[in-house]
Amino acid sequence: MDTESTYSGYSYYSGRSRGSHRHGERSRDRHKSRSKDSRSEKSVTINTPPAEPLLGDSAVRGEQVQDDNWGETTTAVTGTSEHSLSQEDIVRITKDLEDSVGLDCRRYFTLTLAVILGLLVFLTPLAFLVLPHLLWPEKLQNCGTACEGLFISVAFKLLILLLAVWALFFRTPRAGLPRVFVFRALLAVLVVLFVLSYWLFYGVRILDSQDENYQGIVQYAVSLVDALLFIHYLAIVLLELRQLQPCFSVCVTRSTDGEIRHYNLGQLSIQRAALAILEHYYCDFPVHNPALLSASKSRAAKHLAGLKVYNVDGPGNNATAGMAHSQSRAMIAAAARRRDTSHNELYYEEAEHERRVRKRKARLVVAVEEAFTHIKRMQEEEQKKAPGDVMDPREAAQAIFPSMARALQKYLRTTKQQHCHSMESIQQHLAFCITNNMTPKAFLESYLAPGPTLQYSRDHWLSRQWTLISEMSVTSGLKDGAIFVLKCVDFSLVVTTKRIPYIQMSEEYIDPKSHKFVLRLQSETSV
Amino acid sequence: MSFTPGQPVTAVVQRIEIQKLRHGDNLILGFSIGGGIDQDPGQNPFSEDKTDKGIYVTRISTGGPAEDAGLRMGDKIMQVNGWDMTMVTHDQARKRLTKKNEDVVRLLVTRRSLEDAVKNSMSRP
C-alpha cells in the first residue's frame, strides 16, 4: 500500500512513534497512551500551531495540480558537498563576471572627474598669479614686500590644502556603492561653481581690463585659496563629523540562523549605513555555516512527508480554494496531533549530540596537550651542542600534527566545521602557535567556537557581492523604523533601525550637609 | 494602645508585682525587653502602632518570677516603680528594672486583651 512506503523511512524509530502515525490514519487502534488523541480525532480541532502553517500551506496548494504519486518521486534537496558546483555557485560566478565590468567603468569615471577637479583647483591660483606676467608684463606694477609676503602665504596654504585633500579624498575606496555619494557630488558641484565664478570675475575684471595692481591680483588669489580651505572644512564636517554622533540603533539579524547584533550609527544615508553594517558584519558575526542548518531543514521535510493528502474529487473542481483551505486545515490538525513525538525526538537528539561533542572535545584536548609535550623550545646554549634534528616552526608543526590530526578531524566533523579549516591552514596555525609560545588551549580556541568571518581563508569572504534591498531611496537618510535587507548569495541580513530617544534631563542640587543618618536598632535586653 | 502626640496617654493597665530572684550574684526578673525612644519602632512585632516607641516585653523565661507574677509576652510596660516607661531610652529602661538595691518591681503593664475585656464588659448591660 502507499501508506506503507512512506513509513519505511521511520522504521528505525521506536515502535511508539510509529504507532502514533498509524493512529492518525486509522481510528480503530487504541494505544493506551494515546487515549487523549482518540477523543479529539473525531472532531477536527483547528488549534493552529504557530510554526507550522506556511510550509504546509504552500505544499498543499502545489499538490492540487500534480498527480498523486509525487511523494514517491520527489528528490530531497540536500546541502551541497565541498566538491560539487551548485546552482548557486554558477549564478554567483556569472554575476561576478557581469558586474565587474560595469563597476570598473564607474570607478574610473569618478576617478578621472576627481583628478580633473583637483588639477583645476590647484592650478587656478597659480594661473591667477602667472597670467598677468605672461600677458602684460610691461604694464604690471612691481611686486613690493607685502606682495611677496603674500606669495609665501599662498604657497603654504596651497601645501596645506594639498595635504588635506590627499588625507580626506585620496584614500583607497572601501566599497562600491549602488548610488552616487550625495554629499561628495554636492561638494564637487560647489567647488566647480566656486572656481568658475572666480574665473569669471578674473576674466572680466582683470584679464579684459589688464589691471596693473599686481598686489590686488595676488590678494585675490590668496582669497581664493582661503575660500578653498573653508570648503575643505565644510567637506570634513559633512563627510566625516556629521555621522560620528550616534543617533540610531540598528538591529541586524541574519536570516539563516538568527544571529543578532546591535550597532549604533549616526545620521547616514541608507547605503552608507549598509556599508558600515557590512564592515561590522565581517568583524563581529560568526562565520555562516550552512551545515548547521541541515537539521532543521530535515525536520521540516519530515513534517511535510509524514502525511499525504489525496484529492479524490479530481483537480477540476469548482471549490478548489475551499478545498485547499480545508485540506490545509486537516493537515495542520493532523500535524498538531502528531507533534507529541517530534519534540521528544529533537530533545533526545540534541542531548545525544551534546554528549558526543563533549566526548570528542575531551579526546581532542588530551591529544593536543600530549602533542605539545613532544616539542620543546631549544635554548641558546643547547644550540651549539646538538646541531642535528633542529627544526624550524613549520617542520615542528608537521612533526607533531599527525598525533592530533585524527582527534581534531573528528571533532570538526561532529561540530560540522570541517569545511572551514583546511589541513594547510591548521598546520600554519600550529606553527604560528609554536613560534609564539602558546599553550595547547590557546591553539585550540580557534577551533572550538566559530569566529568572525574575516578569520577564515579568503575564499570564504572574498567573492562577496551584496545587494541592498530597500523600499526607500538608498540615498535618503536613515529614519526611525526603516527596514532594509542586505542580500548575499547564501543568506540575507535584515536590518531595522530605531532612533535613540531625545533625553530631557533636569538637575537637582543636594547640599552635602544634608547627608545625615540615624541608627535603626532594635536591641533586646534581658532583665 | 495608640497615642496621639501631645495628648495624655490613657490605657487600661494591670498591676504586676515581681519579686526579683537571686541568681548567683545577680538579681533577675526573668524577661527581656525591647523598644525605646532610641530604637527603630517599625521592627517591633508586638506593637499595634508601628510608631510606638514604648518598652515591650519580648521574651519571658518559663518558670521565672515574671511568668509567675502574670507578665505575658507582648505586654507594654507603662511604669516601673512609679517611673514612666513610655518615653525612655532602652538603656534607661534597663537601668530602672535592674536596680541592685530594689528587691521588688511594681509594673503597670497594658495589653490588648485588657482593653477588649473592659470594652466587652462595658457593652454588656
Side-chain angles (χ1 to χ4, degrees), chain A residues 1-8 25 68-72 308 310:
Chain A
M1 253 182 80
D2 261 349
T3 47
E4 290 306 317
S5 65
T6 324
Y7 296 134
S8 61
E25 301 279 83
D68 287 348
N69 294 328
W70 77 271
E72 274 83 29
K308 290 170 56 147
Y310 290 96

Side-chain angles (χ1 to χ4, degrees), chain A residues 521-527, chain B residues 30-33 39-40 58 90:
Chain A
L521 297 173
Q522 187 66 13
S523 38
E524 193 185 0
T525 329
S526 49
V527 293
Chain B
F31 66 96
S32 299
I33 54 165
Q39 307 282 311
D40 178 18
T58 54
H90 189 86

Side-chain angles (χ1 to χ4, degrees), chain A residues 173-353:
Chain A
R174 281 148 55 193
L177 295 177
R179 299 277 168 137
V180 72
F181 193 164
V182 172
F183 280 142
R184 273 200 203 185
L186 284 179
L187 279 169
V189 167
L190 177 67
V191 167
V192 164
L193 283 178
F194 176 72
V195 171
L196 281 181
S197 67
Y198 260 70
W199 267 111
L200 196 63
F201 185 85
Y202 187 78
V204 167
R205 297 293 287 272
I206 298 181
L207 283 183
D208 277 352
S209 62
Q210 300 205 336
D211 194 7
E212 297 114 19
N213 182 6
Y214 193 56
Q215 182 161 356
I217 297 177
V218 175
Q219 273 175 341
Y220 185 66
V222 170
S223 79
L224 169 69
V225 181
D226 285 342
L228 284 173
L229 280 173
F230 286 135
I231 292 185
H232 187 265
Y233 158 75
L234 179 68
I236 294 178
V237 164
L238 279 183
L239 298 179
E240 302 286 321
L241 288 184
R242 193 168 165 261
Q243 75 259 23
L244 286 182
Q245 194 181 42
C247 271
F248 294 96
S249 170
V250 299
C251 170
V252 185
T253 316
R254 188 156 60 183
S255 64
T256 47
D257 58 352
E259 279 280 334
I260 297 187
R261 294 277 190 283
H262 298 273
Y263 301 112
N264 298 333
L265 297 178
Q267 279 168 323
L268 289 170
S269 62
I270 289 187
Q271 58 179 3
R272 284 174 79 194
L275 178 64
I277 287 169
L278 280 179
E279 290 177 345
H280 283 297
Y281 168 79
Y282 279 121
C283 301
D284 287 338
F285 273 70
V287 69
H288 172 248
N289 199 347
L292 291 174
L293 309 164
S294 54
S296 59
K297 279 194 196 145
S298 65
R299 274 204 299 279
K302 258 195 274 165
H303 283 309
L304 279 183
L307 202 63
K308 290 170 56 147
V309 182
Y310 290 96
N311 187 1
V312 292
D313 290 335
N317 208 337
N318 277 348
T320 28
M323 194 78 62
H325 209 51
S326 66
Q327 271 181 5
S328 63
R329 283 157 118 205
M331 249 186 90
I332 291 166
R337 246 175 288 127
R338 215 187 46 220
R339 243 176 178 4
D340 291 343
T341 54
S342 60
H343 73 259
N344 217 9
E345 286 162 15
L346 174 63
Y347 171 72
Y348 282 115
E349 222 176 89
E350 284 199 343
E352 176 64 34
H353 178 77

Side-chain angles (χ1 to χ4, degrees), chain A residues 135 144 171 176 215 278 486:
Chain A
L135 293 179
R171 295 182 283 194
Q215 182 161 356
L278 280 179
L486 283 160

